[in-house]
Structures are given as C-alpha cells and as structure tokens.
C-alpha cells in the first residue's frame, strides 16, 4: 500500500479515537460508573461471539483472498457457516426471556436480552463485510463505515442530554444497538456488489473444509486471545464490583489512542505481508518494519506517561485513578501490534496451532495475575495483569515464529518493551507518589527512542 491508501485507512481509527475522546467524558458525567461497566461487559461478549462463530474463517478469507479467483464465492463460504449457527443460537437465547441480561448485568429484562442478540448478530455480519473493503484496499469507505456509527452514538447521547431523559443503562444500550446496526447497514451498502453476487453462487465444500482446517485452530486461539484481552472484566465483576469495572473500562477506553496504531497497522500489514510472501519480495523489510513499530510503541507509552495528568481535567473526580491506570492499559493494544510484526512466520507457514499455544500461555499468566492482584488492587491490578500478560504473549508469538520460520534480531525488541512496561507498572502502583520521577523517566525514554529511530532511518537510507 502507498501512503495515500494508508492515510485513507487511518482516517477511521484516528477519527474514531477523536470521537471517543469527545463521547467518553460526556457519558462519564451523565451515566453511572456501574452502567459504563455493564456496557464494557457487553463489548466483551460481542468480541467473544464474533471470534467464536467466525470459526476462524474471517482469517481464512484474508489468507486466501489474493489466491482465490472468485472473491464473491470466497466471501459466501467464509460467512455462511458461522452466520447460520449464530442465527440458531440467537433464536434460542431470545426464547430464554431474561437469562442473558441477568447473567451479565443483574437486570431482569427480556428487552435487554433481545437487544443483546441483535447487537451480536449485527456485529458478526459487520465484521465479515468490513473484510471486503479491507482486502479491496478501499480505505476511505472502510474509514467512513467506522466513523458514521460513532457519530450516530454521539448524536443519540446528545439527544438524551437535550431531552433531559433518564440516564440509565437501557438508554446506553439503545444508543449502542443503534450504532452497531448502523455500521452493519453502511458496510452492507458499501459492499453490495460483492455480497449480492455471492447469493446464488454454488459453494465449494472441499474448499470450505480446507479453510476450516486452517481456521479451526484459530477458534481456540481466538477465544484464548479473547480471554487474554477480556477476562479481566469478569474477574473485576467477581472479585470487586461494577465501580472498579467502570473505572477500568474508562481507562481502557482512553488507551484507545494506542488502538489507532493497532487498527491502522493490522489493517494494512496482513494484506501487504501476504502479498510480499506470495511474490517472494521485500521479505528483508519485515524486521525493519518491526523496528519502526517498536519505536512507535515505546513513543506512545512515553507520551501518555508524560501527559496522562491531562485526564484529571476531563473526567469527574471519582475517576482520579484513571490517569495512572491508563498507561498500563496501553500494553494490550501496543504489544499486540508489535507482535503482529514478529508473528509473520506462523501465518506464512500456516502453523496456526502455535498462535493457540501463545494465546493459551499468556492467558494462564493473565488469569493467575488477575486472581492475585485484583482482590488487592482492583482496577489497578487488572491493568497490571493485562500489561504483563500481553508482554508474555508478544514473547511467545515471536519465539514460535522464529521456531517455524527463520530467526530475527530481538534483543532490542525485548529490552525496550521491558523498560516501558516497568515504568507503566510503577506508575500504576505508586500513582502520584513518584510523579516527577516518572515524568522524567518517560521523557528520557522518549528522547532515547527518537535517537534510535533516527539511527535506524539513517542506516536504511545508506543500505
């Protein structure tokens, strides 16, 4: 992809993060911490259902796209198995009245139950439709499909405020459902030519079996990754309360600044690197990309570490801990992004079982750390656990990739990330006690990474 295409894909994550920074403070002033925690749990469930019912075929679609001639048929074969199963499961859950709403939110409401099912199905469909735009490199359409629902959500919240409505969980759920349905409709419109052509296409059962063979291990790996990324919310609900869950969720939302890098890079990287592998060119650039992403990761850690105090001027006083927790919350998106550059070998060699091993290993660390830290530290413990677990995830993905493909230099990768993680944990635990020391340390790390990135750039220009 060229710079113009990368910029078009970046509009969505950057604009979405900007809208998030507008929306998040607004809802913290009007809705309770507990209700924000409940919406966070809903987002966790949406992620789990999308991962599980995709059967790994979303990843198979990305992997096979450049090599399979009939793109429309490929789309049908990847979305159909999961969609049929999801519709059956959704129908059963609707009949259970309020089972899911009570289980997740301690709320007895058949309406909430139905809205949850609608959100799950719409999110699943939107996920697959977005892959079409991503693989066709239609960055502007992809970005607008991400931005418009966030604008709608903000509009609905604004409507609530103007009407001085009752600020309860159901109102938040209405806004969330409306935005998810809207994104699904926008994706459907933008990809109408592709999915309508697939309706009458005859499926290739043998190809589906091949893709399931590739994708099924990713189901377990995906669920393990979901657990790695999301179980901390359930541990907070169990060992603490919705208040700590809400504080943690707001911290994670502010850490969405790092999701910009994750979203843009993940969207661009997979199609690009598979193209390089297919053509047998630019493979030497993979490590160079890893270095630049490393510098970006450490720079974002450092900048948030230096300026997190600004959050105090945005949120209500009872969110005071967010400015310290948010730094450790950066670990999940940033270390995941970095691992995407080092895990190439597993995907190229189609050794997807190693992705499962990496996710499971990190999940064990995450669960152990959450059980140990959350009872004592609440939201702070969850943030630290997540940061440590994703560092282990990054190491395992890197080492397994080297095992199945080829070695890469990684001393710098590990050393720089360890320093950033250590400072993030220090900031979260001691909060404001060593504020000046932490700011100086973050500034020093930022200057160091600028120097290293300049040296790498000069070296690449000479080469």
């Amino acid at each position: 992809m060229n710079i113009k295409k990368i910029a078009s894909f970046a509009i969505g994550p950057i604009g979405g993060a900007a809208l998030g920074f507008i929306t998040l403070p607004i809802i913290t002033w009007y809705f309770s911490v507990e209700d924000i925690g409940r919406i966070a749990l809903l987002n966790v469930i949406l992620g789990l259902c999308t991962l599980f019912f995709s059967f790994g075929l979303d990843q198979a679609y990305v992997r096979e796209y450049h090599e399979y001639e009939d793109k429309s048929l490929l789309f049908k074969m990847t979305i159909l198995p999961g969609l049929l199963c999801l519709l059956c499961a959704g129908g059963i859950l609707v009949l259970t009245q309020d089972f899911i709403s009570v289980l997740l939110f301690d709320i007895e409401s058949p309406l909430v139950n139905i809205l949850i099912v609608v959100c799950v199905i719409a999110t699943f469909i939107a996920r697959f439709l977005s892959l079409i735009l991503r693989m066709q490199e239609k960055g502007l359409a992809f970005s607008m499909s991400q931005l418009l629902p966030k604008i709608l959500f903000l509009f609905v919240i604004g409507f609530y405020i103007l009407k001085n409505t009752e600020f309860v969980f159901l109102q938040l759920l209405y806004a969330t459902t409306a935005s998810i349905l809207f994104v699904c409709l926008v994706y459907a419109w933008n990809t109408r030519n592709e999915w309508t052509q697939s309706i009458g296409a005859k499926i290739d059962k043998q190809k589906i079996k091949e893709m399931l063979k590739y994708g099924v291990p990713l189901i377990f790996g995906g669920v393990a990754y979901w657990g790695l990324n999301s179980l901390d919310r359930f541990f907070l609900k169990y060992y603490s309360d919705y208040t700590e869950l809400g504080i943690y969720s707001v911290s994670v939302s502010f850490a969405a600044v790092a999701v910009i890098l994750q979203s843009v890079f993940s969207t661009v990287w997979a199609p690009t690197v598979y193209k390089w592998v297919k053509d047998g060119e630019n493979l030497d650039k993979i490590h160079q990309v890893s270095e630049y992403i490393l510098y970006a990761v450490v720079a974002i850690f450092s900048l948030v570490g230096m300026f997190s105090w600004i959050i105090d001027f945005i949120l209500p006083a009872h969110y005071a801990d967010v400015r310290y927790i948010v730094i450790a919350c950066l670990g999940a998106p940033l270390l995941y992004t970095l691992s995407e550059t080092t895990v190439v070998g597993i995907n190229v060699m189609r050794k997807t079982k190693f992705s499962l091993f990496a996710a499971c290993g990190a999940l064990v660390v995450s669960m152990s750390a959450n059980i140990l830290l959350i009872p004592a530290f609440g939201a702070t413990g969850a943030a630290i656990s997540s940061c440590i677990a994703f560092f282990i995830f990054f190491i395992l993905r890197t080492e397994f990739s080297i095992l199945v493909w080829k070695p890469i230099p990684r001393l710098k990768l590990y050393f720089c990330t360890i320093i950033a993680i250590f400072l993030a944990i220090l900031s979260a635990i001691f909060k404001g006690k060593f504020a000046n020391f932490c700011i100086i340390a973050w500034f020093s790390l930022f200057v160091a990474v600028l120097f290293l990135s300049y040296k790498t750039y000069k070296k690449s220009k000479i080469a």
Side-chain angles (χ1 to χ4, degrees), residues 22 31 46 51 74 96 114 177 214 224 302 315 343 353 357 364 428 461 463:
I22 296 171
F31 291 91
L46 294 179
L51 282 169
L74 180 66
T96 62
I114 292 171
T177 305
Y214 173 84
S302 302
L315 299 179
V343 76
K353 63 181 180 181
F357 297 158
V364 171
K461 291 291 285 184

Short mmCIF file of all heavy atoms in Angstrom, two decimals, residues 22 31 46 51 74 96 114 177 214 224 302 315 343 353 357 364 428 461 463:
data_model
loop_
_atom_site.label_atom_id
_atom_site.label_comp_id
_atom_site.label_asym_id
_atom_site.label_seq_id
_atom_site.Cartn_x
_atom_site.Cartn_y
_atom_site.Cartn_z
N ILE A 22 -14.33 12.61 22.76
CA ILE A 22 -15.45 13.53 22.98
C ILE A 22 -16.58 12.83 23.74
O ILE A 22 -17.13 13.37 24.71
CB ILE A 22 -15.98 14.08 21.64
CG1 ILE A 22 -14.90 14.90 20.93
CG2 ILE A 22 -17.23 14.92 21.87
CD1 ILE A 22 -15.27 15.29 19.52
N PHE A 31 -23.82 9.26 33.03
CA PHE A 31 -24.19 7.89 33.37
C PHE A 31 -23.33 7.39 34.52
O PHE A 31 -22.19 7.82 34.71
CB PHE A 31 -24.04 6.97 32.15
CG PHE A 31 -25.03 7.24 31.06
CD1 PHE A 31 -24.75 8.14 30.04
CD2 PHE A 31 -26.26 6.60 31.05
CE1 PHE A 31 -25.66 8.40 29.04
CE2 PHE A 31 -27.19 6.85 30.04
CZ PHE A 31 -26.88 7.76 29.04
N LEU A 46 -19.63 -9.25 22.76
CA LEU A 46 -19.67 -9.09 21.30
C LEU A 46 -18.39 -9.61 20.66
O LEU A 46 -18.42 -10.29 19.63
CB LEU A 46 -19.87 -7.61 20.94
CG LEU A 46 -21.21 -6.97 21.33
CD1 LEU A 46 -21.24 -5.50 20.93
CD2 LEU A 46 -22.38 -7.71 20.72
N LEU A 51 -15.65 -13.83 17.54
CA LEU A 51 -14.50 -14.72 17.41
C LEU A 51 -14.92 -16.18 17.30
O LEU A 51 -14.46 -16.93 16.43
CB LEU A 51 -13.58 -14.56 18.62
CG LEU A 51 -12.66 -13.34 18.64
CD1 LEU A 51 -12.03 -13.18 20.00
CD2 LEU A 51 -11.60 -13.45 17.56
N LEU A 74 -15.82 -16.77 -2.30
CA LEU A 74 -14.97 -16.90 -1.11
C LEU A 74 -15.64 -16.25 0.09
O LEU A 74 -15.65 -16.82 1.19
CB LEU A 74 -13.60 -16.27 -1.37
CG LEU A 74 -12.60 -16.34 -0.21
CD1 LEU A 74 -12.21 -17.78 0.08
CD2 LEU A 74 -11.37 -15.48 -0.52
N THR A 96 -35.23 -17.55 25.89
CA THR A 96 -34.91 -17.69 27.31
C THR A 96 -35.34 -16.47 28.13
O THR A 96 -35.04 -16.40 29.33
CB THR A 96 -33.40 -17.90 27.51
OG1 THR A 96 -32.67 -16.75 27.03
CG2 THR A 96 -32.93 -19.15 26.78
N ILE A 114 -33.13 -9.31 24.08
CA ILE A 114 -33.29 -9.20 22.62
C ILE A 114 -32.27 -8.25 22.03
O ILE A 114 -31.66 -8.54 20.98
CB ILE A 114 -34.73 -8.74 22.28
CG1 ILE A 114 -35.75 -9.82 22.64
CG2 ILE A 114 -34.84 -8.39 20.79
CD1 ILE A 114 -37.19 -9.36 22.53
N THR A 177 -26.88 -0.20 20.46
CA THR A 177 -27.54 -1.04 19.45
C THR A 177 -27.75 -0.28 18.15
O THR A 177 -27.51 -0.81 17.06
CB THR A 177 -28.91 -1.54 19.98
OG1 THR A 177 -28.72 -2.20 21.23
CG2 THR A 177 -29.55 -2.50 18.99
N TYR A 214 -7.65 -24.68 8.28
CA TYR A 214 -6.78 -23.54 8.60
C TYR A 214 -7.36 -22.73 9.76
O TYR A 214 -6.64 -22.28 10.65
CB TYR A 214 -6.62 -22.65 7.37
CG TYR A 214 -5.88 -21.36 7.62
CD1 TYR A 214 -4.50 -21.30 7.62
CD2 TYR A 214 -6.58 -20.17 7.86
CE1 TYR A 214 -3.83 -20.11 7.86
CE2 TYR A 214 -5.92 -18.98 8.09
CZ TYR A 214 -4.54 -18.96 8.08
OH TYR A 214 -3.88 -17.77 8.32
N ALA A 224 -8.91 -17.92 23.21
CA ALA A 224 -7.85 -17.72 24.20
C ALA A 224 -7.41 -16.26 24.20
O ALA A 224 -7.18 -15.66 25.27
CB ALA A 224 -6.67 -18.64 23.91
N SER A 302 5.55 6.51 26.20
CA SER A 302 6.22 7.66 26.81
C SER A 302 5.36 8.91 26.80
O SER A 302 5.27 9.63 27.81
CB SER A 302 7.54 7.93 26.07
OG SER A 302 8.38 6.80 26.09
N LEU A 315 -12.33 14.25 33.31
CA LEU A 315 -13.26 13.33 33.97
C LEU A 315 -13.68 13.83 35.34
O LEU A 315 -12.98 14.63 35.97
CB LEU A 315 -12.61 11.95 34.12
CG LEU A 315 -12.21 11.22 32.83
CD1 LEU A 315 -11.57 9.88 33.17
CD2 LEU A 315 -13.40 11.03 31.90
N VAL A 343 5.15 -12.18 14.33
CA VAL A 343 4.46 -13.46 14.26
C VAL A 343 4.29 -13.94 12.82
O VAL A 343 3.67 -14.97 12.56
CB VAL A 343 3.07 -13.34 14.94
CG1 VAL A 343 2.08 -12.59 14.03
CG2 VAL A 343 2.51 -14.71 15.32
N LYS A 353 -1.43 -23.56 14.98
CA LYS A 353 -1.51 -24.13 16.33
C LYS A 353 -0.58 -23.38 17.29
O LYS A 353 -0.84 -23.30 18.49
CB LYS A 353 -1.16 -25.61 16.32
CG LYS A 353 0.27 -25.93 15.88
CD LYS A 353 0.53 -27.44 15.87
CE LYS A 353 1.96 -27.75 15.44
NZ LYS A 353 2.22 -29.21 15.40
N PHE A 357 -0.99 -21.84 21.08
CA PHE A 357 -0.08 -22.05 22.21
C PHE A 357 0.30 -20.71 22.86
O PHE A 357 0.35 -20.59 24.09
CB PHE A 357 1.18 -22.77 21.75
CG PHE A 357 0.93 -24.16 21.22
CD1 PHE A 357 1.85 -24.77 20.36
CD2 PHE A 357 -0.21 -24.86 21.57
CE1 PHE A 357 1.63 -26.05 19.87
CE2 PHE A 357 -0.44 -26.14 21.08
CZ PHE A 357 0.48 -26.73 20.23
N VAL A 364 -2.92 -18.07 30.72
CA VAL A 364 -2.62 -18.63 32.05
C VAL A 364 -1.97 -17.57 32.94
O VAL A 364 -2.33 -17.42 34.11
CB VAL A 364 -1.72 -19.87 31.92
CG1 VAL A 364 -1.22 -20.32 33.29
CG2 VAL A 364 -2.45 -21.01 31.23
N ALA A 428 1.34 2.84 37.78
CA ALA A 428 0.03 2.35 38.21
C ALA A 428 0.01 2.04 39.71
O ALA A 428 -0.96 2.36 40.41
CB ALA A 428 -0.35 1.10 37.42
N LYS A 461 18.72 4.24 4.90
CA LYS A 461 18.97 5.09 3.73
C LYS A 461 20.32 4.75 3.09
O LYS A 461 20.46 4.73 1.86
CB LYS A 461 18.98 6.57 4.16
CG LYS A 461 17.62 7.10 4.58
CD LYS A 461 16.66 7.22 3.44
CE LYS A 461 16.98 8.41 2.56
NZ LYS A 461 15.98 8.60 1.49
N ALA A 463 21.79 1.78 3.31
CA ALA A 463 21.64 0.46 2.71
C ALA A 463 20.91 0.54 1.38
O ALA A 463 21.19 -0.18 0.46
CB ALA A 463 20.89 -0.46 3.66
#
